[in-house]
Amino acid sequence: MAQHAGHGAQQAVFATKAEAEAAAKHFNCKGAHRMGNQWMPCASHGEATGGTSSPSTP
Amino acid sequence: MPAPVPPEPSPDSPASGCGGKPKILAIGIAPLGIISIGIVPMGVISIGVVPMGVLSLGAVAMGVINASVVGMGILIAGVNVMGVWWVGMEGMGPYRLGVQAGQVHHHDHGQKNIHAYPSREEALSKAKQLGCEGVHAMGSLWMPCEDHPTP
C-alpha cells in the first residue's frame, strides 16, 4: 500500500516488486522496475509523462 | 660504571594496574581483572558503569558481547547500540536480531527521495529541501531531483 506523506505525495520506493506493481496504478503506469535493492512503480524509469497539474514540462 | 638496575616490584605492591598481572576478581573504581566489577572496569568479563571487556555489562559499554544502555560490540543488546548483530530500541548495524530489515528504524526517512508528487511545483520544492536540482516524471507523478542518485 502506498503511503502518503501529505499533499498527495505517493510513496515511490518499495521493498518488494509486488508492492511497487500494486502502487503503479497511482502513477498511471504498469509494472515495476528495480532501483538498487528496492523497487519503484512503472516498467521503467523512462515511462514518464508527468502530471497534468503541471503548467510546463520538465 | 655499572648499569642502573631497575627496581624489582614488591610482592606487596598493587598487581591490578596497567602492566601488572590482573586479578581473578577485581572490584573498584578502575579495576583490572579477569572478572572486573566497578565504575570503569576492564577485563574479560566487565560489569559496571563504563565497562570494557570481552563480555561487558553496564551503562555505557564496549565489548565483543555486550549488554548495555549505550554500547558498541559485535553482538550487542541495549537501548542505543552499534554492532554487527544487535538487539535494541535504536541501533546501527547490518543484522538486527528479531526484526526484519524493513522494520529497522532509520533517522533519515524524511531526507530521502522516496516520494512522488502530483504537481511539478511540489516536487521542485521538495528537491530544494533535499539539496538537489530539478524534477523528473514517474508515470503521471513527479519526483524531486533531475535523476535518482546511484544506489
Side-chain angles (χ1 to χ4, degrees):
Chain A
M1 179 185 295
Q3 295 176 355
H4 296 254
H7 305 289
Q10 294 284 343
Q11 182 178 342
V13 180
F14 300 88
T16 67
K17 183 180 181 181
E19 287 177 306
E21 287 177 338
K25 61 186 177 187
H26 300 295
F27 293 73
N28 294 317
C29 63
K30 293 183 178 179
H33 66 280
R34 183 179 282 275
M35 176 62 64
N37 59 358
Q38 295 181 304
W39 292 88
M40 298 186 73
C42 306
S44 72
H45 218 103
E47 187 183 337
T49 59
T52 55
S53 60
S54 170
S56 60
T57 56
Chain B
M1 179 176 170
V5 178
E8 293 268 340
S10 167
D12 299 329
S13 63
S16 60
C18 289
K21 183 179 180 181
K23 296 178 179 177
I24 300 297
L25 174 63
I27 299 174
I29 294 177
L32 171 66
I34 304 300
I35 300 173
S36 293
I37 300 172
I39 305 298
V40 190
M42 183 169 67
V44 178
I45 299 174
S46 294
I47 302 169
V49 180
V50 188
M52 182 171 66
V54 177
L55 172 62
S56 294
L57 305 172
V60 180
M62 181 170 69
V64 177
I65 300 172
N66 192 339
S68 59
V69 178
V70 178
M72 179 173 68
I74 302 295
L75 174 61
I76 181 166
V79 176
N80 196 325
V81 298
M82 180 172 71
V84 178
W85 291 273
W86 62 277
V87 179
M89 293 177 63
E90 294 278 347
M92 182 171 68
Y95 304 106
R96 185 179 189 181
L97 303 177
V99 179
Q100 293 180 357
Q103 295 176 269
V104 174
H105 178 74
H106 294 291
H107 287 282
D108 57 354
H109 271 172
Q111 298 303 314
K112 287 188 174 180
N113 181 13
I114 62 171
H115 289 97
Y117 301 87
S119 74
R120 186 175 186 273
E121 290 71 25
E122 195 171 357
L124 193 58
S125 175
K126 185 67 177 177
K128 291 178 180 176
Q129 293 179 21
L130 294 170
C132 61
E133 297 288 335
V135 296
H136 66 277
M138 172 67 71
S140 60
L141 301 182
W142 296 93
M143 292 192 71
C145 309
E146 290 178 345
D147 202 355
H148 278 284
T150 303

